[in-house]
Structure formats: C-alpha cells, structure tokens
Amino acid sequence: MARERKTLSKKSKIILTIILIILATVIVGTAIYIKFWKGQTKPASLDTETGDNQEIPEYPEPEPQKEIQIFKGNDRPVAVMIDNHSGAWPQAGLNKAYIVYEIIVEGGETRLMALFKGQDVENIGPVRSSRHYFLDYALENNAIYVHYGWSPQAQSDISTLKVNNINGISESSSSFWRTKKKSSPHNVLTSTQKILSIADRKGYTTTSTKESVLNYVADEIDLSEGLSATQVTIPYSTLQKVEYKYNSETGRYTRYARNKLQTDFSSGEEITTKNIIITFCNNYTLNDPENKGRQGINNTGTLKGYYITNGKAIEITCTKDTRKSQTVYKDLNGKEIEVNDGNTFINICPTDAEVSIQ
C-alpha cells in the first residue's frame, strides 16, 4: 500500500506542474493582450444616468495658426522712390512691394514710393528724386529711404529728421544703373541687394522689430456690408487718372493709369493689388525759389478715406498725429480696420478729386 501511495504522489506532481504551466501561459498571454490592445481601443466613460459605458469621441488635432505672409520677419523695410511719368512705364518691382504709396507732385504728375521687406528684387525703378512728404511714410514704416536726387525741402528734411537715406546720384553706376530700354531721366534702376550693401556700408541697421502700419489678418476679410467696388477711379489731376478693376476669380485689382494697363518691366505681368486705401489730403503749391510748382500736403490730423478689398469698399478715417507717427486707419465706428494679407496701394489724393467707386 505504501508503494501505491508513492506512485500516486508522483502523478499528482506531474498534474500540478502541468496546471501551473497552463496558468502561467494564460497570465502571460493576458498581460500581453492587455498591453498591446490598451492603446488600440477608444476610452469609455460611464453614463451617469444609465450606468452604461459610452465611447469618448476622438477630436482632430487643432490646425496650426495661420501666419501673415505679406509682413513677417525682422528684415528692415526699404522704401524706394519710383518715377511715374509715362516715359518711365513699365516700372520694375511694384508687384513685390508690400505697400506702394502714390501722391501728387508738381505738374499734375504723381510719384510712387514702393516698400520692400525681406524680398530679393533684381530690378526696381525707375528710381526718381525725393519729395519731402514721402519721408513721413518712410519714417512711419522705419524704412531705409532710397531716391535719386531731391528737392531742396526734401534735402533739408532728410538732414533735420535724420532719415537713413541712400541717394543714388552719390553711388556708383554698378549700384544705380541706367537701362538702354528707356530714356533719361526715366531709366535708373537698382536692386534690393545693392541697397542693402550700401546700407551696410553706411552703418544703417538692416533689421527692425517695428510693427506693421496696417493691421493685417490671416483670415479673409469680406466687407459684406460695404459699397460695391469692382471699378475704382481716382483722378489725381487732369493729367493723371488711376483705375483699379476687380477680378473676382483672383480676388485682386488690376491697375491702370491714364487708361493704360500697368505691367512689370522685367516680367511683363500685370500690376495687381489685394487692397486699396484712399486718403483724401489737401495739397498746395510751395513758395519754391526754383519756381517749379512743387507741392506740399497737409497729411497730419484725421483725414477721410476708403478701404477697398474683395470687390467692396467702406468709409474710413486716416489719423496721423505727427510726421513720424504711424497712420491709424479706422472704420466709422472707431475700430481699427482689419486688412487682408496681401499687398496694398495707398493712394493719397487731393481732397477735390472726384473719386468714383462702382
């Protein structure tokens, strides 16, 4: 009997070992299953009313915040005086400027000032001489001011206001060159690389943290309650009339001057803009010893105007407290306007200009 009990004891040990192996396999398998599938199933929450488990919905990752494209980085703006005589057409580089100012000068002509920021532009021009009131807009943009000659008042104000300026007449012909495709004096060109090289030589800072004059927004602005503005006409004088025609497919305005389509000298592309700002400003003839009929403007204080974009226009006010201060553009409710991310033509025109917005 003792021998039989010993045999049964061995069998029990074998059975026990098998059971333990099976249990260990089940435990290990369960642990692996839980570890692998834990992140594959949706988490559940307990419904406090029914006691049932409910799946928690999965939410997509938030989209990255849009970044303004037209004005970014710490590159200091460069402001270049551009000839707008018909002999200077077509001009070079206007489509790459983030702002272009247009203001009346002598003889009923207008002159442009194009501002570039962080752009590599091979041809800019034709570069023309300074008029003193353009300095106000170079200063409010903290821009290096580029010109080819100056009026007596502009020369005086550049010195008095300590404007970081580059006068092309004083530079080499490799930095300001004349194209043979136009006649003098409407044929001087330059580039952003040449300008920045001269600025570095003169010790001007080429970086800036100054905020934009315009309150750009990344999301598209539609002036739904504004006036229809598919064609805008600005008669600066009997000589100079500017028109902008809206293209609903591109969301941009094409520029015309004196009934002629404006194009780029280098690329042949049409000159277009996303935004238009009109500021009505009183101009007058200076008591100029050279008797050339040069102009002055009363551009400080609060002036009336329009903001135009995406085929619509609203009335605005344009407030500039001092020559150096930034202009603030507000709607008629006193709120600073939001400006679409894109280039802007700012047309500072005589108060008696019979502007048409249709």
Side-chain angles (χ1 to χ4, degrees), residues 32 54 59 61 69 74 111 156 196 222 242 245 249 256-257 259 272 280 283 287 322 333 339:
I32 292 172
Q54 294 184 339
Y59 296 100
E61 291 291 327
Q69 298 301 310
N74 290 333
R111 198 152 291 181
S156 174
L196 293 174
D222 289 307
V242 177
K245 296 181 181 180
E249 293 183 1
Y256 296 77
N259 300 314
T272 66
F280 293 101
N283 63 295
N287 183 16
T322 68
N333 293 319
V339 177

Side-chain angles (χ1 to χ4, degrees), residues 173-193:
S173 58
S174 63
S175 295
F176 288 81
W177 62 92
R178 292 188 182 273
T179 174
K180 294 181 180 179
K181 295 180 180 181
K182 298 178 186 293
S183 300
S184 179
H186 313 294
N187 62 346
V188 176
L189 300 178
T190 189
S191 70
T192 51
Q193 286 190 1

Side-chain angles (χ1 to χ4, degrees), residues 34-51:
I34 292 172
K35 183 176 181 180
F36 180 79
W37 289 103
K38 184 177 180 180
Q40 306 299 317
T41 58
K42 296 179 180 179
S45 63
L46 185 65
D47 189 311
T48 56
E49 292 186 2
T50 64

Side-chain angles (χ1 to χ4, degrees), residues 199-215:
D200 186 62
R201 189 192 77 219
K202 287 178 170 288
Y204 299 156
T205 179
T206 55
T207 60
S208 174
T209 57
K210 192 177 184 69
E211 293 184 356
S212 168
V213 170
L214 299 178
N215 179 28

Side-chain angles (χ1 to χ4, degrees), residues 78-81 127-128 144-148 165-166 176 190 195:
V78 170
V80 185
M81 293 296 299
V127 187
R128 202 65 194 274
I144 298 168
Y145 182 66
V146 182
H147 55 103
Y148 199 87
N165 79 295
I166 295 173
F176 288 81
T190 189
I195 291 168

Side-chain angles (χ1 to χ4, degrees), residues 302-323:
T302 298
L303 308 174
K304 295 179 180 180
Y306 289 96
Y307 171 50
I308 303 167
T309 192
N310 287 344
K312 293 286 186 177
I314 60 170
E315 293 184 68
I316 61 171
T317 61
C318 316
T319 301
K320 185 173 176 64
D321 293 330
T322 68
R323 294 188 69 180

